[in-house]
Amino acid sequence: QVRLVESGGGSVQAGGSLRLTCAASHQAYRKGCIGWLRQAPGKEREGVAGVNTISGLTDVADSVKGRFTISRDNANDTVYLQMNDLKPEDTGTYYCAVKEAIGSWYPCGTRFESSSQGILVTVSS
């Protein structure tokens, strides 16, 4: 069963940090690409980051580059999104997503589709 559970969201002031956690079922994790999407109020969903769980190759959207880091823990089938220097425009619902990797050393990019519940991140100025 493909299952993804997000945690770690909340409210923070601008400049603060949060770490989101995506706990994946083993079947989901084995697909090889796990990423994060977000959707701000009134805006379209956008890809934020992706990681190849086999090789560890990562991709991060330009809008968050230098502030957000994606990483994985193969022992626990878990992916993290470390978010630093948060800005009000980072406010939104964050979703974890999975897709099949092309190969161990192919980047996953940041384009995913997700049907998970999502978790709210609110950044106040």
Side-chain angles (χ1 to χ4, degrees), residues 78-89:
T78 300
V79 170
Y80 303 100
L81 184 68
Q82 178 67 43
M83 306 185 294
N84 298 328
D85 190 24
L86 282 161
K87 303 177 180 182
E89 52 264 40

Side-chain angles (χ1 to χ4, degrees), residues 37-119:
L37 313 169
R38 69 182 181 184
Q39 187 166 19
K43 294 189 176 181
E44 292 187 355
R45 196 170 289 191
E46 65 169 339
V48 176
V51 61
N52 186 307
T53 60
I54 307 166
S55 62
L57 283 175
T58 62
D59 295 277
V60 180
D62 289 342
S63 58
V64 301
K65 197 164 290 183
R67 300 188 297 121
F68 289 14
T69 303
I70 188 169
S71 61
R72 95 287 195 208
D73 178 355
N74 287 346
N76 294 293
D77 293 347
T78 300
V79 170
Y80 303 100
L81 184 68
Q82 178 67 43
M83 306 185 294
N84 298 328
D85 190 24
L86 282 161
K87 303 177 180 182
E89 52 264 40
D90 294 318
T91 293
T93 300
Y94 284 70
Y95 302 88
C96 186
V98 61
K99 64 182 180 182
E100 294 281 353
I102 296 174
S104 303
W105 294 102
Y106 280 85
C108 294
T110 61
R111 297 184 65 179
F112 290 81
E113 292 184 0
S114 176
S115 59
S116 64
Q117 185 173 357
I119 193 163

